[in-house]
Amino acid sequence: MTNHSIDSIRAGLLKKEFTAEELTKQALAYAEAENPKTNAYLTFSPERALAAAKAVDAKIAAGQDIGALAGVPVAVKDVIVTKGLRTTCASKLLENYIPPYDATAVIRLEQAGGIIIGKANCDEFAMGSSNENSAFGPVRNPVALDRVPGGSSGGSAAVVAQNTAVVSLGSDTGGSIRQPASFCGITGVTPTYGRVSRYGLTAFASSLDHIGPFSRNVRDSARLLQVIAGKDEMDATSADVPVSDYVAALDGNVKGMKIGVPKEWMDGLPSETGDLIQAAVDQLVKLGCEVKEIHLPHTAYAVATYYIVCTAEASSNLARYDGVRYTNRAASANTLADMYRVTRDEGFGAECKRRIMLGTYVLSAGYYDAYYLKAQKVRALIAQDYAKAFEQVDAIVGPVSPHPAFKLGEKVEDPSQIYLADIYTVTGDLTGIPCMSVPCGKTADGLPVGLQILTKHFDEAGMLRLAEAYERSTN
Ligand code: GLN
């Protein structure tokens, strides 16, 4: 189990070295035994996993096509709904919520033979950068157990780094796939907005939310993305753009590719991270890429813009958790208004409450123009920065986070400190371009650091090609 890739599982199944059922049993037993170290899984799904594994074995016996993810143990972030399988969003409010339907990404990965072995811990409603906002306890980073795995998809990153799943699904609204991938030393991909259906992804900030893969190598992310990408009529914002062959794109040939490194990102980057990013850029030059400095002049406004837009949308999206539908209901309320109030007061954690208040404020009649409308205008300027940059380069590379994984509890007292560290990730979401993190070495303390790669809308193939060429040259 522990070092399998999607390809090695496929080969093992077809050569009959093991059955999907054997592998699934082993994966479940291993994941359940290892989980107390990290708290990365919130729920295991043995019945569902074994039924899926038996279906794969039956196809093998019948000589049928087994699907691109046959027998692959997968974890799914607990903000992505799974029919009949508890989906908590790491919130006390949804502690007992059993969804009546599957997310499109879940349907597609199971149709391809993927085996969902459990649901991964995360920050409550995907709000956070350290997984410390989960109502069910934080996740520990498998690389250094006294440190956070990043967030909000901390559990999805941790299970892949811990080898308790081969790949996983996370979600990214402002960095929640790339930053935990960077902190845990694995690959994480945020596709173009609209590339993967959001149907069944619990809404945090609908104009920014993405589903994407985590894996231990770039190829596995390409394979998983291939399966979940593509138009879905259940999501009006999913794009009707052909899905290219992401695995075929991994040809190692990046000679002549034009790469931009944003000056605004590298200036002031602490050397602990900056030296590794610079070394990765030097490596890209060795691979034949043409590297040049570029400018993203509105970088300084990115965090403020993101936290206005995302809190505004969150305040609206979270209004549905009112004690009437989905959620636990306060036992002590006497009137309807009281029931709403007490349910929400008891159910939401501090970070969600902070965002509901901020979001309601920036949307209020008196402040809408000053904050929300202005943020939308700055969002357009940030998109223009990227459009101009992509007139000169094929890809942009830089850091994911200014610092590697920090200690549990180190930053909980100061949310604005945590918000500011999202500087390099939020613009990818605000613009909707594909972006990813690929490991680029470790600090002197042995903590992983990720290189961020961003490309034009729908050029996931180019992004993955560059990442895989880099990975290949450094392994
Ligand atoms: N850290 C960011 C936030 O707290 C991003 C979260 C996300 O991408 N879901 O909002």
Side-chain angles (χ1 to χ4, degrees), residues 77 123 125-129 133 151-153 171-179 204 209 306-307 310 351 355 418-419 422 425-426 429:
K77 184 178 182 180
D123 285 301
F125 290 105
M127 297 174 189
S129 304
N133 299 332
S152 64
S153 312
S171 71
D172 194 310
T173 302
S176 284
I177 291 178
R178 289 157 288 158
Q179 186 256 27
F204 158 14
D209 293 340
Y306 168 76
Y307 277 96
C310 86
E351 185 61 30
R355 295 197 189 202
I418 290 203
Y419 295 173
D422 290 340
T425 50
V426 293
D429 302 273

Side-chain angles (χ1 to χ4, degrees), residues 23-152:
L23 186 72
T24 300
K25 281 187 175 154
Q26 209 189 88
L28 278 164
Y30 185 67
E32 287 183 45
E34 291 292 296
N35 200 48
K37 290 183 191 160
T38 58
N39 194 33
Y41 280 101
L42 290 177
T43 310
F44 288 103
S45 46
E47 289 95 14
R48 184 171 181 143
L50 287 169
K54 282 180 187 154
V56 169
D57 288 333
K59 282 188 176 165
I60 294 175
Q64 290 166 359
D65 174 23
I66 57 172
L69 300 177
V72 175
V74 186
V76 175
K77 184 178 182 180
D78 215 17
V79 292
I80 300 173
V81 301
T82 40
K83 184 176 178 177
L85 177 60
R86 187 175 79 128
T87 301
T88 66
C89 299
S91 178
K92 218 162 75 182
L93 274 172
L94 296 174
E95 189 167 7
N96 304 307
Y97 177 58
I98 310 284
Y101 69 103
D102 278 321
T104 299
V106 164
I107 293 174
R108 290 186 181 179
L109 85 80
E110 288 192 318
Q111 272 171 355
I115 313 287
I116 294 176
I117 62 170
K119 303 295 295 287
N121 202 346
C122 55
D123 285 301
E124 185 175 6
F125 290 105
M127 297 174 189
S129 304
S130 67
N131 220 301
E132 290 165 295
N133 299 332
S134 168
F136 306 111
V139 174
R140 291 174 181 276
N141 189 325
V143 180
L145 291 170
D146 58 341
R147 293 184 184 259
V148 303
S152 64

